[in-house]
Amino acid sequence: MVISALRGAARLATVAYAPPGDQGASTFRWSTDQVDPKDRFDYWREVRSKGLFGATAELDREHRPKFTGEFSLRKIGSAGLIGLRASSYHVERSATDIASAPSDSLCICQQLGGGGWFRVRNVDDFQVAGGAFATSYSDLPYHTVPIAAEGFDLRILKVPVADILLPLPGLHELVPKPLIDRPVLIPLLESCFTDLTETADDSDPSTTKALVQTLTHLTLIERGVVRPTSRVAQYAVRAGRLSLARRLMARHIAEPQLSPAFIASMLAISVRHLHVLFEESSSFSQTVTALRIARSRRLLREAPAMTIAEIAFASGFDSLATFYRVFRAVQGITPGDFREAATRK
């Protein structure tokens, strides 16, 4: 009975990862809370390690009853976005694992928790700190274990090589390695990765596909597979900077110094270059207005103790009159009517 359930769960994980021809987005979630404690690690080893990554998981038998873990797997076209949190255990992808479950994918991993230790080719050891990125070609051996006592906390984007559609000399030799050679790319990767994880399952497929492509190309620039001066690289850096610019704008939306010059200085680019980033989408000023209106709508719904004037200034408007004028132009009703309708709802 247990073996049958294990195999069924592994098949479900595999089907959720890459159903042929389906370009939509769906999310599969699994947790050891669904399993009797004595069977949890066995389930995890079969579903997460064997079924999803083609890797071997090991944990001392006396620690297995206390093991806990959860993961999510979101299908984005034929790519997969994986979130994983689990107690500490050892993971190895051996030559035997690779032969029995080849993946032929680029893996982009971000450590969210305390970081991880890796060994490659039984000689090269390195650590990936919390918040840092590492990348690799999927079908190369490695051994990893979390550094912190609380275990694994990471997210991984797996992109099939067949989807990358670039001349890729050297991609199949990309052993696991932290992203450290081009630190200027790290904030762009982090911003785009966050954008991808925040998109909903029913988001426009072209948007999520573009984010996957940008993350892939930024990673391959850092690993030396894509030339930094190529058009592909320039477009990826531009998309990454646009993502980061929008995040910086949202972070500072209530501050009076928010301006093109302020954001350009944070990105270390010229104001002209900043405006170029927005040429194919809403302008800088339109984006600021949309962010301020979105913030004011949230506060009108969720902060009943705040006055409308307080909400206006907390959203970055320089006057109450401006707030009323812009809000009514965008929403078609006054802030007060919006709050009243939201309260009724």
Side-chain angles (χ1 to χ4, degrees):
M1 181 68 176
V2 170
I3 296 298
S4 175
L6 287 169
R7 290 173 178 165
R11 285 195 300 271
L12 180 57
T14 303
V15 170
Y17 179 63
D22 187 347
Q23 296 302 306
S26 60
T27 301
F28 168 74
R29 291 183 173 85
W30 192 86
S31 168
T32 53
D33 290 344
Q34 304 170 30
V35 184
D36 189 289
K38 66 182 177 61
D39 296 323
R40 284 178 177 175
F41 186 73
D42 290 334
Y43 266 70
W44 185 266
R45 179 167 54 187
E46 190 73 19
V47 175
R48 184 271 176 189
S49 294
K50 291 292 185 185
L52 191 57
F53 286 103
T56 299
E58 293 296 344
L59 181 62
D60 293 340
R61 189 162 296 279
E62 63 267 24
H63 295 139
R64 293 184 183 184
K66 296 182 180 180
F67 177 82
T68 60
E70 60 185 62
F71 72 77
S72 63
L73 190 154
R74 179 180 175 192
K75 182 176 62 66
I76 305 172
S78 54
L81 179 62
I82 300 149
L84 185 149
R85 299 184 66 182
S87 306
S88 183
Y89 63 99
H90 288 258
V91 179
E92 180 178 11
R93 183 151 164 81
S94 66
T96 302
D97 292 325
I98 293 166
S100 61
S103 175
D104 195 27
S105 300
L106 174 69
C107 296
I108 308 169
C109 170
Q110 185 181 23
Q111 296 283 344
L112 300 177
W117 169 88
F118 284 81
R119 169 164 286 176
V120 182
R121 296 175 296 208
N122 292 321
V123 292
D124 298 330
D125 291 9
F126 64 89
Q127 294 185 2
V128 182
F133 288 88
T135 55
S136 68
Y137 174 63
S138 62
D139 293 347
L140 295 173
Y142 66 87
H143 183 191
T144 183
V145 65
I147 298 170
E150 57 266 27
F152 288 101
D153 186 1
L154 54 105
R155 54 190 176 192
I156 303 167
L157 178 64
K158 291 185 71 175
V159 184
V161 169
D163 286 1
I164 298 178
L165 302 178
L166 289 172
L168 299 171
L171 186 146
H172 295 85
E173 286 76 48
L174 292 182
V175 297
K177 180 177 177 290
L179 294 184
I180 54 175
D181 293 344
R182 296 179 180 272
V184 69
L185 296 178
I186 304 302
L188 311 187
L189 272 166
E190 186 169 24
S191 182
C192 290
F193 219 139
T194 304
D195 284 349
L196 186 61
T197 58
E198 290 179 352
T199 56
D201 275 358
D202 58 355
S203 297
D204 181 357
S206 64
T207 299
T208 51
K209 184 177 180 181
L211 284 167
V212 170
Q213 178 176 272
T214 297
L215 285 162
T216 300
H217 293 168
L218 289 172
T219 296
L220 295 178
I221 296 168
E222 204 279 344
R223 292 300 301 264
V225 175
V226 170
R227 289 184 297 106
T229 55
S230 66
R231 292 186 65 182
V232 167
Q234 292 171 5
Y235 190 86
V237 170
R238 174 177 176 171
R241 282 177 172 162
L242 179 59
S243 168
L244 183 55
R246 287 171 171 160
R247 289 200 166 273
L248 292 170
M249 292 160 69
R251 189 179 305 161
H252 297 278
I253 197 65
E255 299 178 18
Q257 71 266 34
L258 179 60
S259 66
F262 178 73
I263 297 298
S265 67
M266 298 184 77
L267 290 172
I269 61 176
S270 68
V271 173
R272 180 182 177 279
H273 193 168
L274 178 72
H275 285 301
V276 169
L277 296 181
F278 287 87
E279 281 182 348
E280 295 181 8
S281 59
S282 300
S283 69
F284 182 92
S285 61
Q286 289 171 330
T287 303
V288 169
T289 297
L291 288 169
R292 286 179 168 157
I293 292 296
R295 179 179 173 85
S296 67
R297 285 199 306 263
R298 180 176 62 80
L299 292 175
L300 287 166
R301 287 192 302 264
E302 301 175 7
M306 293 181 71
T307 66
I308 290 179
E310 288 171 336
I311 288 172
F313 294 115
S315 302
F317 291 94
D318 57 7
S319 73
L320 187 58
T322 300
F323 175 51
Y324 267 88
R325 175 176 54 80
V326 174
F327 192 95
R328 185 161 194 166
V330 173
Q331 295 296 136
I333 58 175
T334 67
D337 290 341
F338 180 91
R339 169 176 269 179
E340 184 179 345
T343 301
R344 287 199 307 269
K345 188 177 296 184

